[in-house]
């Protein structure tokens, strides 16, 4: 049986969500073609021959791009079975089925895909038998990246000194213990997480190192959901491959709880930690149920610096509760804390998404500003009570894109953002420097 697995976008990473199920389906005897359309063109011949075309939708942007591709796939292959799998599949099930999806899989999707292939092989193309959301514990296989574009074609690690490094990507766990109201993981995993066997993770890393990787991104939603599991992996990685560096994503709350482990992360090769700070307004942090405060973030920054770790905060600065004053305070605080090099400029223009199933829908404060659900945008519309805040967000996004297009530095872009937020006021004196490691793929949504 011919199967095509398609990824449309995953932050400039070689998609784990293609390589992992490809291993499962090839082991089951399927002929699998992986297509990462962020780096290559659609293979129309492969689509025509496929009994199954499955779209990987781990993100909002990826889901919208996949939806736009469905009519083309249908023209090429009117009879093939369509599947959507990944984090954004179950929460958008109704919309995806309206496009013709016969199967929708979320959570731990590899076993569901294998079941689907076996069902199609038996000639059963009727109603879906597999659970839309499965949180069963799986015995993972080592991802098969054989027909994906080379790692050198993906995001690179930019260093303060020396050449850029080729980056590999893997996952040691999925899901999350926490229930942050705005997080897309919560409607699917409901406070649970699942680990990938350490031996599988390490073999995946070994193979990517052979393919040229010199740095590994661990894409777990929170690397410290299971700190024992995480530390086993990085200890073994550093012992076997001491020249390989890595980065992880960890919640502010966990960085505080596990502060004694920060030095070990750094000693084992961790260059930076991404953390979803979201904003610096304690009222909004409480509404989002983030589990940390502004002062917690500042303390985490202090502890990371003491351990020699770079902290790379991410933000959702435009919410229904943002004010011009709190936005300007965010900018001022980043300048005061010398964090401008650490923050990708697009992080200062991201607007809150409220997808189907979001816990934000529970809040009276959300209902006060909420508009109708927009199927094309895969989210609820909302308008800020102060039109000037929405106007600021609308102005900043193209401003940042134009500046990045002409290769302006982060300090230069920050100065332009400051000027727009302060009605033409000049930014404080900024050091135009690149002193921290970062990946050259800035989007995070």
């Amino acid at each position: 049986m011919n199967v095509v697995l398609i990824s449309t976008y995953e932050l400039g990473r070689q998609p784990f969500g293609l390589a992992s199920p490809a291993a499962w389906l090839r082991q089951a005897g399927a002929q699998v073609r992986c297509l990462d359309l962020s780096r290559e063109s659609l293979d129309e011949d492969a689509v025509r021959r496929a009994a199954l075309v499955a779209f990987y939708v781990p993100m909002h942007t990826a889901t919208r791009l996949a939806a736009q591709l469905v009519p083309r796939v249908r023209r090429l292959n009117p009879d093939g079975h369509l599947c959507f799998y990944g984090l954004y599949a179950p929460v958008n099930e109704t919309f995806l089925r309206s496009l013709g999806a016969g199967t929708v899989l979320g959570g731990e999707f590899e076993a569901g895909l294998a079941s689907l292939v076996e069902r199609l092989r038996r000639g059963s193309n009727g109603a879906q038998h597999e659970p839309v959301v499965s949180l069963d514990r799986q015995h993972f296989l080592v991802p098969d990246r054989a027909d994906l574009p080379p790692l050198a074609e993906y995001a690179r690690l930019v260093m303060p000194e020396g050449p850029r490094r080729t980056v590999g990507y893997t996952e040691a766990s999925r899901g999350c213990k926490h229930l942050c109201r705005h997080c897309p993981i919560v409607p699917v995993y409901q406070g649970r997480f699942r680990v990938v066997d350490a031996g599988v993770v390490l073999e995946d890393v070994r193979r990517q190192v052979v393919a040229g990787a010199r740095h590994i991104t661990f894409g777990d939603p929170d690397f410290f959901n299971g700190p024992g599991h995480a530390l086993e992996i990085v200890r073994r990685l550093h012992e076997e491959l001491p020249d390989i560096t890595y980065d992880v994503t960890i919640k502010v709350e966990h960085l505080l709880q596990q502060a004694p482990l920060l030095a070990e992360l750094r000693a084992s090769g961790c260059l930076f930690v991404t953390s979803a700070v979201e904003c610096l307004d304690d009222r909004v942090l409480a509404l989002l149920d983030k589990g940390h405060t502004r002062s917690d973030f500042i303390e985490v920054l202090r502890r990371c610096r003491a351990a020699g770790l770079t902290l790379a905060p991410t933000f959702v600065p435009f919410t229904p509760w943002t004010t011009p004053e709190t936005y300007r305070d965010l900018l001022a605080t980043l300048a005061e804390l010398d964090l401008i090099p650490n923050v990708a400029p697009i992080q200062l223009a991201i607007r809150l998404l409220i997808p189907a199933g979001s816990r934000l829908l529970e809040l009276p404060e959300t209902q006060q500003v909420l508009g109708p659900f927009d199927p094309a945008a895969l989210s609820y519309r909302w308008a800020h009570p102060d039109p000037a805040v929405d106007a600021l967000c609308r102005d900043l996004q193209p401003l940042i894109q134009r500046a990045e297009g002409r290769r302006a530095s982060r300090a230069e872009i920050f100065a332009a953002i400051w000027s727009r937020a302060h009605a033409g006021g000049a930014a404080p004196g900024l050091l135009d420097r690149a002193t921290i490691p970062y990946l050259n793929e800035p989007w995070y949504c």
Side-chain angles (χ1 to χ4, degrees):
M1 176 187 293
N2 292 320
V3 177
V4 173
L5 303 179
I6 296 176
S7 172
T8 55
Y9 179 63
E10 198 184 1
L11 286 169
R13 305 159 171 166
Q14 193 186 66
F16 183 93
L18 297 191
S20 179
W24 287 62
L25 301 185
R26 286 169 179 151
Q27 180 173 277
Q31 302 298 312
V32 180
R33 177 75 166 95
C34 293
L35 294 174
D36 181 359
L37 301 188
S38 74
R39 295 297 185 272
E40 58 186 323
S41 300
L42 184 70
D43 184 338
E44 294 189 346
D45 287 339
V47 171
R48 288 189 187 98
R49 295 192 302 269
L52 169 63
V53 178
F55 294 93
Y56 176 49
V57 288
M59 303 167 60
H60 180 262
T61 299
T63 310
R64 294 186 67 182
L65 291 172
Q68 294 168 17
L69 190 62
V70 168
R72 183 179 174 191
V73 168
R74 270 291 177 236
R75 286 194 298 271
L76 293 168
N77 186 343
D79 300 321
H81 189 95
L82 289 187
C83 171
F84 287 80
Y85 68 98
L87 191 64
Y88 274 75
V91 295
N92 293 297
E93 179 183 5
T94 300
F95 171 68
L96 297 176
R97 291 199 188 277
S98 77
L99 300 178
T103 302
V104 174
L105 301 171
E108 306 302 280
F109 50 73
E110 286 88 349
L113 283 168
S115 171
L116 169 60
V117 165
E118 181 57 31
R119 172 159 59 91
L120 295 176
R121 184 180 281 135
R122 294 195 308 267
S124 174
N125 195 15
Q128 177 173 340
H129 299 167
E130 300 76 19
V132 172
V133 174
S134 172
L135 299 183
D136 290 347
R137 288 179 169 83
Q138 301 183 142
H139 296 290
F140 282 86
L141 301 176
V142 178
D144 187 343
R145 303 172 182 273
D147 62 340
L148 285 168
L151 290 176
E153 296 186 14
Y154 290 88
R156 297 293 192 97
L157 177 73
V158 179
M159 297 292 289
E161 297 179 355
R164 296 185 177 192
R165 299 181 188 176
T166 299
V167 177
Y169 174 86
T170 194
E171 296 176 5
S173 65
R174 289 188 184 141
C176 186
K177 291 181 183 178
H178 297 272
L179 298 171
C180 303
R181 284 195 177 93
H182 64 304
C183 180
I185 298 169
V186 173
V188 176
Y189 280 88
Q190 297 290 333
R192 288 167 284 185
F193 77 105
R194 296 290 180 258
V195 301
V196 182
D197 180 77
V200 170
V201 177
L202 289 164
E203 180 58 24
D204 188 28
V205 171
R206 290 185 197 103
R207 295 182 184 184
Q208 292 184 78
V209 170
V210 170
R214 294 297 174 265
H215 178 89
I216 299 294
T217 291
F218 287 96
D220 310 43
D222 191 319
F223 200 59
F224 274 178
N225 270 320
H229 175 65
L231 286 176
E232 177 191 356
I233 289 171
V234 298
R235 285 166 180 163
R236 291 171 61 182
L237 171 62
H238 187 62
E239 180 179 348
E240 182 178 342
L241 299 166
D243 295 330
I244 299 301
T245 57
Y246 66 91
D247 68 270
V248 297
T249 297
I250 303 176
K251 188 176 172 66
V252 170
E253 182 179 352
H254 284 168
L255 289 169
L256 274 179
Q257 292 171 353
Q258 306 294 341
L261 302 181
L262 299 182
E264 182 169 1
L265 286 182
R266 183 66 189 94
S268 62
C270 186
L271 292 184
F272 63 93
V273 176
T274 300
S275 193
V277 177
E278 313 305 27
C279 73
L280 300 181
D281 182 334
D282 282 340
R283 174 175 177 263
V284 177
L285 288 169
L287 289 170
L288 299 180
D289 200 9
K290 280 299 297 179
H292 71 258
T293 64
R294 175 193 183 101
S295 61
D296 290 337
F297 161 64
I298 294 172
E299 176 62 16
V300 161
L301 176 63
R302 185 190 69 79
R303 294 190 182 200
C304 283
R305 285 174 168 167
L309 272 176
T310 294
L311 185 66
T314 62
F315 296 97
V316 182
F318 287 97
T319 73
W321 313 288
T322 302
T323 68
E325 293 74 22
T326 59
Y327 186 78
R328 289 193 289 264
D329 174 71
L330 170 64
L331 299 182
T333 304
L334 294 179
E336 178 185 344
L337 296 175
D338 195 20
L339 279 173
I340 294 165
N342 301 50
V343 179
I346 195 61
Q347 292 296 319
L348 301 177
I350 290 178
R351 193 172 189 267
L352 180 69
L353 285 171
I354 306 179
S358 172
R359 285 192 63 222
L360 285 168
L361 299 172
E362 303 167 359
L363 295 176
E365 292 88 343
T366 304
Q367 295 299 325
Q368 292 170 7
V369 300
L370 203 65
F373 186 78
D374 182 349
L378 301 180
S379 61
Y380 285 90
R381 294 186 178 276
W382 61 268
H384 197 284
D386 181 353
V389 176
D390 280 340
L392 174 60
C393 184
R394 286 195 302 271
D395 289 351
L396 289 181
Q397 292 177 357
L399 179 156
I400 292 167
Q401 292 167 7
R402 288 193 301 269
E404 289 181 334
R406 64 174 186 271
R407 299 183 183 277
S409 69
R410 288 185 171 185
E412 290 169 336
I413 301 173
F414 184 88
I417 293 170
W418 180 286
S419 178
R420 172 60 184 86
H422 291 79
L430 304 175
L431 294 176
D432 192 359
R433 59 185 182 180
T435 58
I436 54 97
Y438 64 92
L439 301 181
N440 63 345
E441 178 75 25
W443 296 89
Y444 197 78
C445 62

